[in-house]
Amino acid sequence: MKKFLERYHEKFSIEINQPKSKVMETIAREKGKKRDLASILGIGFIDYKEVKLTSEDSVEIEVNPKMFNPYRGAGKINITFNEGKRASETTAEGEVIPYTGAYFLAISIFLSFLVFLTLFALVTDSGTLGVVIVVGGWIVILTFLYLLPFWYRRKLREYRDSFLTDLKANRNKKKSIR
């Protein structure tokens, strides 16, 4: 199943105009900050508590909907930071994975529901209306399950872009304090 879903993945490569050490320092500093009420409730867009340092030059961001931001998408963003062509540049390479274990659970639940709906329609001999409802249910639910990762991928792209923009903005804030 995961092999089938790999076509939803999206690879990317983005240049950041700051050294890799500054990028990793900014991530570590933001992760160490005390969380405010907005980030606890999930109102803010970037939550650095979701960012996991997987090695000294890569991060994994697990994004899930929150109570006050239910439409933010779900999935993982893996980013590896490499030195750029110049020492003052960093290349962020990674992959957007627009599904989680909950997606597999949703597939199982919806398909089970459709199978039971179909069996119920066959047993009750409901006629033309029953067949139309069953076929309509299959079409609607399978279309929804097919399109959901595309929507998640778009939302994760926005999250990735905001994360990288936030890294650049934090660098500028730090410079302006000095």
Side-chain angles (χ1 to χ4, degrees), residues 33-47 49 66-69:
K33 281 185 178 178
K34 187 175 179 181
R35 296 175 69 181
D36 58 348
L37 183 62
S39 67
I40 291 171
L41 295 176
I43 297 170
F45 202 69
I46 303 298
D47 184 5
K49 296 299 178 189
K66 295 193 176 187
M67 179 186 285
F68 294 108
N69 195 355

mmCIF file of all heavy atoms in Angstrom, residues 33-47 49 66-69:
data_model
loop_
_atom_site.group_PDB
_atom_site.id
_atom_site.type_symbol
_atom_site.label_atom_id
_atom_site.label_comp_id
_atom_site.label_asym_id
_atom_site.label_seq_id
_atom_site.Cartn_x
_atom_site.Cartn_y
_atom_site.Cartn_z
ATOM 1 N N LYS A 33 12.602 27.437 23.015
ATOM 2 C CA LYS A 33 11.785 28.508 23.572
ATOM 3 C C LYS A 33 10.563 27.952 24.291
ATOM 4 O O LYS A 33 10.036 26.902 23.934
ATOM 5 C CB LYS A 33 11.293 29.455 22.466
ATOM 6 C CG LYS A 33 12.318 30.437 22.012
ATOM 7 C CD LYS A 33 11.676 31.387 21.027
ATOM 8 C CE LYS A 33 12.653 32.441 20.567
ATOM 9 N NZ LYS A 33 12.058 33.331 19.574
ATOM 10 N N LYS A 34 10.124 28.701 25.281
ATOM 11 C CA LYS A 34 8.917 28.334 26.001
ATOM 12 C C LYS A 34 7.714 28.578 25.092
ATOM 13 O O LYS A 34 7.645 29.582 24.399
ATOM 14 C CB LYS A 34 8.796 29.168 27.273
ATOM 15 C CG LYS A 34 7.677 28.739 28.160
ATOM 16 C CD LYS A 34 7.686 29.517 29.455
ATOM 17 C CE LYS A 34 6.524 29.065 30.313
ATOM 18 N NZ LYS A 34 6.453 29.795 31.563
ATOM 19 N N ARG A 35 6.772 27.671 25.115
ATOM 20 C CA ARG A 35 5.593 27.777 24.253
ATOM 21 C C ARG A 35 4.605 28.777 24.835
ATOM 22 O O ARG A 35 4.341 28.795 26.021
ATOM 23 C CB ARG A 35 4.929 26.416 24.122
ATOM 24 C CG ARG A 35 5.811 25.413 23.426
ATOM 25 C CD ARG A 35 5.204 24.064 23.405
ATOM 26 N NE ARG A 35 4.034 24.056 22.528
ATOM 27 C CZ ARG A 35 3.282 22.995 22.340
ATOM 28 N NH1 ARG A 35 3.552 21.877 22.960
ATOM 29 N NH2 ARG A 35 2.249 23.051 21.536
ATOM 30 N N ASP A 36 4.057 29.598 23.967
ATOM 31 C CA ASP A 36 3.029 30.537 24.390
ATOM 32 C C ASP A 36 1.653 29.904 24.198
ATOM 33 O O ASP A 36 1.517 28.803 23.680
ATOM 34 C CB ASP A 36 3.136 31.859 23.635
ATOM 35 C CG ASP A 36 3.028 31.690 22.132
ATOM 36 O OD1 ASP A 36 3.091 30.536 21.663
ATOM 37 O OD2 ASP A 36 2.871 32.698 21.442
ATOM 38 N N LEU A 37 0.616 30.598 24.637
ATOM 39 C CA LEU A 37 -0.738 30.054 24.580
ATOM 40 C C LEU A 37 -1.185 29.768 23.155
ATOM 41 O O LEU A 37 -1.842 28.755 22.894
ATOM 42 C CB LEU A 37 -1.716 31.027 25.249
ATOM 43 C CG LEU A 37 -3.157 30.553 25.336
ATOM 44 C CD1 LEU A 37 -3.260 29.289 26.170
ATOM 45 C CD2 LEU A 37 -4.043 31.636 25.902
ATOM 46 N N ALA A 38 -0.805 30.617 22.213
ATOM 47 C CA ALA A 38 -1.213 30.418 20.817
ATOM 48 C C ALA A 38 -0.633 29.122 20.253
ATOM 49 O O ALA A 38 -1.323 28.382 19.545
ATOM 50 C CB ALA A 38 -0.778 31.603 19.970
ATOM 51 N N SER A 39 0.620 28.815 20.557
ATOM 52 C CA SER A 39 1.212 27.590 20.021
ATOM 53 C C SER A 39 0.671 26.352 20.733
ATOM 54 O O SER A 39 0.568 25.291 20.131
ATOM 55 C CB SER A 39 2.734 27.636 20.119
ATOM 56 O OG SER A 39 3.144 27.611 21.466
ATOM 57 N N ILE A 40 0.302 26.474 22.005
ATOM 58 C CA ILE A 40 -0.284 25.340 22.718
ATOM 59 C C ILE A 40 -1.643 24.986 22.123
ATOM 60 O O ILE A 40 -1.980 23.822 21.932
ATOM 61 C CB ILE A 40 -0.407 25.649 24.231
ATOM 62 C CG1 ILE A 40 0.989 25.705 24.857
ATOM 63 C CG2 ILE A 40 -1.263 24.602 24.931
ATOM 64 C CD1 ILE A 40 1.000 26.203 26.280
ATOM 65 N N LEU A 41 -2.432 26.007 21.809
ATOM 66 C CA LEU A 41 -3.754 25.774 21.234
ATOM 67 C C LEU A 41 -3.699 25.436 19.753
ATOM 68 O O LEU A 41 -4.681 25.002 19.178
ATOM 69 C CB LEU A 41 -4.638 27.011 21.456
ATOM 70 C CG LEU A 41 -4.966 27.336 22.904
ATOM 71 C CD1 LEU A 41 -5.763 28.626 22.979
ATOM 72 C CD2 LEU A 41 -5.722 26.198 23.565
ATOM 73 N N GLY A 42 -2.563 25.668 19.108
ATOM 74 C CA GLY A 42 -2.428 25.359 17.694
ATOM 75 C C GLY A 42 -2.889 26.482 16.791
ATOM 76 O O GLY A 42 -3.172 26.264 15.623
ATOM 77 N N ILE A 43 -2.974 27.697 17.322
ATOM 78 C CA ILE A 43 -3.430 28.828 16.529
ATOM 79 C C ILE A 43 -2.320 29.309 15.598
ATOM 80 O O ILE A 43 -2.561 29.649 14.459
ATOM 81 C CB ILE A 43 -3.928 29.969 17.442
ATOM 82 C CG1 ILE A 43 -5.137 29.481 18.236
ATOM 83 C CG2 ILE A 43 -4.266 31.202 16.639
ATOM 84 C CD1 ILE A 43 -5.578 30.412 19.334
ATOM 85 N N GLY A 44 -1.088 29.331 16.088
ATOM 86 C CA GLY A 44 0.037 29.767 15.257
ATOM 87 C C GLY A 44 0.300 28.785 14.139
ATOM 88 O O GLY A 44 -0.085 27.626 14.186
ATOM 89 N N PHE A 45 0.986 29.252 13.107
ATOM 90 C CA PHE A 45 1.188 28.392 11.949
ATOM 91 C C PHE A 45 2.362 27.430 12.149
ATOM 92 O O PHE A 45 2.242 26.256 11.887
ATOM 93 C CB PHE A 45 1.386 29.242 10.695
ATOM 94 C CG PHE A 45 1.072 28.485 9.448
ATOM 95 C CD1 PHE A 45 -0.225 28.121 9.159
ATOM 96 C CD2 PHE A 45 2.071 28.116 8.583
ATOM 97 C CE1 PHE A 45 -0.525 27.403 8.011
ATOM 98 C CE2 PHE A 45 1.789 27.400 7.440
ATOM 99 C CZ PHE A 45 0.483 27.050 7.141
ATOM 100 N N ILE A 46 3.499 27.928 12.635
ATOM 101 C CA ILE A 46 4.675 27.083 12.822
ATOM 102 C C ILE A 46 4.803 26.707 14.291
ATOM 103 O O ILE A 46 4.862 27.569 15.161
ATOM 104 C CB ILE A 46 5.960 27.810 12.374
ATOM 105 C CG1 ILE A 46 5.853 28.250 10.910
ATOM 106 C CG2 ILE A 46 7.177 26.939 12.583
ATOM 107 C CD1 ILE A 46 5.703 27.133 9.927
ATOM 108 N N ASP A 47 4.845 25.408 14.560
ATOM 109 C CA ASP A 47 5.028 24.905 15.911
ATOM 110 C C ASP A 47 6.346 24.122 15.934
ATOM 111 O O ASP A 47 6.428 23.026 15.386
ATOM 112 C CB ASP A 47 3.854 24.013 16.315
ATOM 113 C CG ASP A 47 3.946 23.541 17.753
ATOM 114 O OD1 ASP A 47 4.861 23.983 18.469
ATOM 115 O OD2 ASP A 47 3.092 22.734 18.157
ATOM 116 N N LYS A 49 7.689 22.559 18.221
ATOM 117 C CA LYS A 49 7.638 21.314 18.991
ATOM 118 C C LYS A 49 7.386 20.121 18.071
ATOM 119 O O LYS A 49 7.638 18.992 18.448
ATOM 120 C CB LYS A 49 6.556 21.388 20.072
ATOM 121 C CG LYS A 49 6.825 22.437 21.120
ATOM 122 C CD LYS A 49 8.110 22.157 21.854
ATOM 123 C CE LYS A 49 8.385 23.244 22.873
ATOM 124 N NZ LYS A 49 9.684 23.151 23.466
ATOM 125 N N LYS A 66 -4.928 20.507 14.325
ATOM 126 C CA LYS A 66 -5.109 20.813 15.740
ATOM 127 C C LYS A 66 -6.513 21.352 15.958
ATOM 128 O O LYS A 66 -7.228 21.649 15.002
ATOM 129 C CB LYS A 66 -4.069 21.828 16.194
ATOM 130 C CG LYS A 66 -2.665 21.273 16.123
ATOM 131 C CD LYS A 66 -1.698 22.136 16.836
ATOM 132 C CE LYS A 66 -0.333 21.459 16.805
ATOM 133 N NZ LYS A 66 0.626 22.133 17.603
ATOM 134 N N MET A 67 -6.882 21.494 17.196
ATOM 135 C CA MET A 67 -8.243 21.892 17.522
ATOM 136 C C MET A 67 -8.644 23.215 16.875
ATOM 137 O O MET A 67 -9.712 23.336 16.289
ATOM 138 C CB MET A 67 -8.421 22.005 19.034
ATOM 139 C CG MET A 67 -9.832 22.445 19.423
ATOM 140 S SD MET A 67 -10.017 22.762 21.168
ATOM 141 C CE MET A 67 -10.051 21.131 21.813
ATOM 142 N N PHE A 68 -7.800 24.224 16.968
ATOM 143 C CA PHE A 68 -8.129 25.530 16.436
ATOM 144 C C PHE A 68 -7.600 25.757 15.024
ATOM 145 O O PHE A 68 -7.729 26.838 14.480
ATOM 146 C CB PHE A 68 -7.625 26.634 17.373
ATOM 147 C CG PHE A 68 -8.332 26.615 18.687
ATOM 148 C CD1 PHE A 68 -7.691 26.196 19.834
ATOM 149 C CD2 PHE A 68 -9.662 27.007 18.778
ATOM 150 C CE1 PHE A 68 -8.352 26.171 21.047
ATOM 151 C CE2 PHE A 68 -10.331 26.986 19.982
ATOM 152 C CZ PHE A 68 -9.678 26.569 21.132
ATOM 153 N N ASN A 69 -6.969 24.735 14.453
ATOM 154 C CA ASN A 69 -6.488 24.803 13.087
ATOM 155 C C ASN A 69 -6.687 23.426 12.429
ATOM 156 O O ASN A 69 -5.721 22.731 12.122
ATOM 157 C CB ASN A 69 -5.014 25.219 13.076
ATOM 158 C CG ASN A 69 -4.553 25.664 11.718
ATOM 159 O OD1 ASN A 69 -5.290 25.579 10.742
ATOM 160 N ND2 ASN A 69 -3.328 26.129 11.636
#
